[in-house]
Amino acid sequence: MKTLFRVNRLLLATLFVLLLAHVGDANTAYREAPMLSKLVSEGQLPPVADRLPKEPLVMQVEEEIGTYGGTLVNVFTGQSDASAVRRVLIEVPLWFGQDNRDEIASNIFAGYQAADDGSIVTVYLREGLRWSDGHPYTADDIMFWWEDMLLYTPTPDQPRVADSIPWLHANGRLPRVTKINDYEVSFEWDEPNPLFPEILRNDLFITGILQPKHHLRQFHPRYLADVPDQGPEAVERFQVVLDYLSPTEKYWNPGTPSLEAWVTKVWDGRQLLLERNPYYFKVDPAGNQLPYIDYVRFDVIEDRQLANIKAMAGEIDFQFRHIDFQNYTALVENEERGNYRTLLWQDSGGAAPNILLNHNCKDPVLRELIRSKEFRAALSLAIDRELINEMLWYGLATPMQGTAPVGTPFYVEGMDRMYAEYAPDQANALLDGLGLTQRNRDGIRMRPDNQPLTLYLDLMSPGWPSHTETFELVQDFWKQIGVDLKINVSERSLYHMRIENNEHQLAHWNMDRTLMPTLDPQSFLPIAPDQNAEAPLYAKWYATNGREGEVPEDVYAEMYRVYQQVVSTVDAKERNELFKKIVRLHAENVMTIGTVGLTPVVGVASNRLRNVPEKEIQATEFRTPRNAQPEQFFFVD
């Protein structure tokens, strides 16, 4: 039998705190919001001690123990902007440690055990944890997700969802998922899958595991006596269930049970109103059930600039998404009038933006140029990053190549300066060396097929204003070395569609996944066909286990080879060192072109809102501002 060992030290500390909290009458150990006390007195809710799990999660507070009440007002652009809601509310099975963010800590799950060789992971649920409607959350919910969502198919020829999820596989094989009892589930692979515990704390991968069986079974053909288990009607019904694999589907469907701090009460297309979850599983150190705030409201705005205008007018309580750094001075100047404070956090990413040249470009002449390291290096050397920093970021960003920046676990000395100096003479020499010596009357170099060297960059709209302004500068930089850059603006969904269909030449994104790249290597290695514009066909090859796309070549082939070693390496330090080989290969070969990184991130918070960190890290992995724990925010008079 394989040896198991406990890896969650935070769980032990939490249990000790809770042991002290439970001394005395269980009914007086915890306190609740007045709006819930009223419901308890009316007999509509059980007492708070009966609504909490046996071992609630004790959350630290930023400043002080808070008080109950109020509505937190945010804005977003509507249902397509679901990430704005997700970043405030999302809960995952495991999370980052409160004191040590490298630690895999308890959250919805009380903890986990992993085999020495990483081939077995057993998860432990919180006994007594309940959905927002009061129904118990148990191992049956996980088994519903596994058996009835990922493995079930309504027709014999329909592929199983599980087969298309790379992180569930170890060397191409799915795990055996077993219910041990109501609060224990094991995942067992034939070979090591050591990253699975990391996956359990990353909502980009795992939120689909949190499914309310008692609610979704009403839509599932397997549980409906009047619907055939196979056939067209089953396909239609099953799609309703599959939609809930999206972590944001519940926000648009009032009445859907949730484990998050707030649950949708109203969604009418103009406003999303969420009400506190009476069964939320977290308490503060004094035993007060969280969240402190009663309601969270997201008002729909037509465009992101309205978020900045509303912030300056004091109409928003807390907002980072859509608040543009370019408005930083105006935001500070309007603080007194709007009764808010301007927050300046720091992004953890390596490039804002990162320029992505399509190595799978359909144009054969351009594809050959893009696959030339000298060509990519020339374009990089022609960019004046210091000027970008001063003009667009007030000198507060870091001019650098697109790579893991200093201060992150995967920083490799010198890679941030690789081909990142401003050296237009060297850039011109590299292009001359490629035979691109002829120019037209406008000074633009001619390609080998005697066409002007014009590059088209797809720019997403709505996107980041700083990207638009950066590319306007890059146009001038590249024109000086004889390269014509034109910008093609696309609506966001069309932008991603063009990338997935490999219809672009260049594109852009923030290099925003540098804290946990062993788990999510997207910033360095193409794995998502609609995101990784630098090689969408390689990404499709990876995402489909080689069934579609193109087989990677050259440097990318080597990086994928190293990554296969990464995902099967059990020792974390060894795994991280292996990934640094990918970081080095990526930077030394200029696989993408960075501009500036570690950029400042601006947001606003009402002066009435407390427990909001003055300094915090903006990171995709943290789902910022989720890492600021909005459930412990509170209002003062």
Side-chain angles (χ1 to χ4, degrees):
M1 187 174 187
K2 297 176 180 178
T3 303
L4 298 176
F5 63 93
R6 179 72 69 182
V7 294
N8 193 344
R9 298 190 302 274
L10 181 64
L11 175 61
L12 298 178
T14 302
L15 292 177
F16 177 75
V17 171
L18 288 166
L19 179 63
L20 297 178
H22 275 83
V23 175
D25 185 355
N27 289 321
T28 61
Y30 301 108
R31 288 170 292 278
E32 63 194 350
M35 67 179 289
L36 299 182
S37 296
K38 182 176 184 294
L39 295 175
V40 172
S41 67
E42 294 172 350
Q44 298 184 49
L45 272 182
V48 61
D50 295 338
R51 299 197 311 270
L52 288 167
K54 185 177 179 180
E55 298 169 355
L57 179 59
V58 179
M59 297 299 295
Q60 299 170 5
V61 294
E62 180 69 20
E63 300 168 328
E64 59 183 309
I65 300 298
T67 55
Y68 288 117
T71 299
L72 185 73
V73 178
N74 312 256
V75 296
F76 74 144
T77 60
Q79 197 164 338
S80 63
D81 192 22
S83 186
V85 186
R86 183 184 188 188
R87 283 175 173 264
V88 174
L89 274 73
I90 199 74
E91 295 287 355
V92 284
L94 300 172
W95 191 232
F96 299 85
Q98 296 180 62
D99 297 317
N100 176 12
R101 283 179 170 167
D102 290 333
E103 183 178 34
I104 303 175
S106 62
N107 197 50
I108 288 173
F109 292 176
Y112 73 96
Q113 291 179 327
D116 290 335
D117 67 353
S119 65
I120 304 176
V121 175
T122 301
V123 300
Y124 302 94
L125 280 58
R126 292 184 182 277
E127 186 175 349
L129 176 63
R130 295 177 180 273
W131 293 95
S132 56
D133 61 359
H135 197 281
Y137 173 70
T138 69
D140 289 338
D141 293 303
I142 295 179
M143 299 311 297
F144 179 85
W145 162 78
W146 178 249
E147 295 175 347
D148 295 326
M149 298 180 78
L150 298 196
L151 297 184
Y152 170 83
T153 58
T155 59
D157 59 340
Q158 182 169 330
R160 302 180 303 179
V161 174
D163 294 330
S164 64
I165 303 178
W167 54 261
L168 271 174
H169 294 74
N171 197 23
R173 294 177 180 270
L174 289 168
R176 293 173 292 281
V177 182
T178 305
K179 173 185 173 181
I180 299 173
N181 57 49
D182 282 347
Y183 301 104
E184 295 183 32
V185 177
S186 73
F187 296 77
E188 183 174 1
W189 292 265
D190 293 330
E191 297 187 36
N193 190 9
L195 287 173
F196 189 63
E198 294 276 7
I199 288 167
L200 290 172
R201 66 172 178 171
N202 191 306
D203 85 288
L204 293 173
F205 294 90
I206 200 63
T207 40
I209 198 174
L210 304 175
Q211 299 295 341
K213 175 180 179 178
H214 70 286
H215 178 75
L216 293 182
R217 63 181 293 163
Q218 67 181 303
F219 309 115
H220 201 297
R222 180 174 280 173
Y223 296 90
L224 299 175
D226 61 335
V227 176
D229 192 32
Q230 299 279 313
E233 189 175 354
V235 172
E236 184 177 346
R237 292 293 189 98
F238 184 53
Q239 186 57 51
V240 175
V241 179
L242 281 188
D243 287 344
Y244 280 88
L245 288 175
S246 164
T248 59
E249 182 67 17
K250 57 181 173 288
Y251 301 140
W252 324 120
N253 293 281
T256 302
S258 174
L259 297 170
E260 296 173 352
W262 295 275
V263 183
T264 297
K265 184 176 179 65
V266 176
W267 165 241
D268 61 8
R270 297 176 310 236
Q271 184 182 97
L272 176 67
L273 180 66
L274 303 112
E275 184 177 59
R276 68 164 59 253
N277 174 2
Y279 292 89
Y280 192 55
F281 63 99
K282 299 180 186 179
V283 298
D284 69 16
N288 298 297
Q289 185 188 29
L290 297 172
Y292 292 130
I293 292 173
D294 291 336
Y295 297 94
V296 174
R297 196 181 86 210
F298 287 86
D299 295 333
V300 174
I301 55 175
E302 294 179 1
D303 62 74
R304 61 182 296 153
Q305 187 54 34
L306 278 174
N308 297 263
I309 295 170
K310 283 180 170 289
M312 294 178 205
E315 298 176 11
I316 296 175
D317 292 316
F318 178 75
Q319 189 89 19
F320 270 84
R321 190 171 179 87
H322 306 315
I323 302 297
D324 299 323
F325 182 79
Q326 285 64 33
N327 293 320
Y328 176 64
T329 300
L331 287 164
V332 172
E333 290 173 348
N334 283 276
E335 285 181 337
E336 184 175 353
R337 181 173 70 92
N339 192 30
Y340 64 85
R341 57 196 183 278
T342 306
L343 303 173
L344 206 59
W345 293 359
Q346 185 185 67
D347 194 88
S348 64
N354 202 23
I355 302 174
L356 310 172
L357 289 79
N358 184 5
H359 292 248
N360 303 138
C361 181
K362 290 181 178 179
D363 181 331
V365 175
L366 188 55
R367 180 171 63 244
E368 185 173 351
L369 285 174
I370 288 174
R371 292 188 177 188
S372 163
K373 174 184 173 180
E374 289 75 17
F375 183 72
R376 301 191 299 270
L379 295 180
S380 182
L381 290 166
I383 296 174
D384 188 344
R385 293 167 173 82
E386 296 288 349
L387 183 61
I388 291 174
N389 187 30
E390 292 301 323
M391 289 188 65
L392 304 184
W393 299 99
Y394 302 145
L396 297 175
T398 301
M400 59 180 289
Q401 189 52 272
T403 188
V406 64
T408 58
F410 297 90
Y411 174 72
V412 177
E413 183 73 35
M415 295 303 101
D416 50 347
R417 300 308 306 160
M418 191 65 63
Y419 300 102
E421 67 272 22
Y422 180 49
D425 290 343
Q426 187 179 349
N428 273 312
L430 286 171
L431 294 178
D432 288 346
L434 291 171
L436 302 172
T437 56
Q438 301 299 313
R439 300 187 185 226
N440 64 15
R441 66 179 65 182
D442 297 319
I444 302 302
R445 294 175 185 270
M446 304 302 290
R447 305 185 337 170
D449 59 355
N450 206 35
Q451 297 296 314
L453 183 49
T454 300
L455 304 178
Y456 290 86
L457 182 142
D458 275 43
L459 181 67
M460 180 181 67
S461 177
W464 298 273
S466 61
H467 288 207
T468 302
E469 296 176 357
T470 297
F471 293 129
E472 289 172 353
L473 292 173
V474 170
Q475 279 181 311
D476 292 336
F477 299 148
W478 284 1
K479 189 171 184 179
Q480 293 174 32
I481 61 168
V483 177
D484 182 26
L485 176 66
K486 296 189 182 300
I487 296 174
N488 173 43
V489 179
S490 300
E491 184 272 331
R492 183 166 187 152
S493 61
L494 179 60
Y495 170 88
H496 288 294
M497 186 184 301
R498 283 179 53 79
I499 290 172
E500 188 166 10
N501 293 335
N502 196 39
E503 295 173 350
H504 65 291
Q505 296 179 357
L506 281 73
H508 68 114
W509 203 258
N510 282 337
M511 193 177 199
D512 56 0
R513 303 183 189 193
T514 59
L515 293 183
M516 298 173 62
T518 52
L519 173 62
D520 185 4
Q522 232 182 101
S523 286
F524 301 92
L525 198 61
I527 63 169
D530 65 334
Q531 298 275 354
N532 285 120
E534 67 273 30
L537 297 184
Y538 294 166
K540 186 170 289 187
W541 169 87
Y542 177 85
T544 62
N545 291 315
R547 295 190 302 273
E548 300 178 45
E550 287 185 6
V551 178
E553 299 179 6
D554 304 324
V555 178
Y556 276 123
E558 175 64 9
M559 289 197 291
Y560 281 112
R561 186 191 68 77
V562 175
Y563 189 63
Q564 285 305 112
Q565 294 179 278
V566 169
V567 298
S568 61
T569 299
V570 176
D571 183 81
K573 289 185 178 179
E574 183 181 349
R575 188 164 63 234
N576 291 353
E577 288 303 313
L578 274 171
F579 197 89
K580 286 183 179 180
K581 290 185 179 181
I582 295 176
V583 173
R584 184 177 292 277
L585 284 166
H586 185 273
E588 288 180 341
N589 291 279
V590 209
M591 303 310 288
T592 62
I593 299 174
T595 51
V596 297
L598 295 175
T599 53
V601 181
V602 66
V604 296
S606 166
N607 286 332
R608 295 179 54 245
L609 189 66
R610 308 313 305 171
N611 276 353
V612 180
E614 291 300 314
K615 297 293 181 182
E616 188 53 90
I617 296 295
Q618 156 79 25
T620 295
E621 295 87 346
F622 293 156
R623 305 313 287 158
T624 308
R626 189 68 195 88
N627 51 321
Q629 300 169 205
E631 63 270 24
Q632 53 94 51
F633 293 177
F634 72 98
F635 287 105
V636 294
D637 294 330

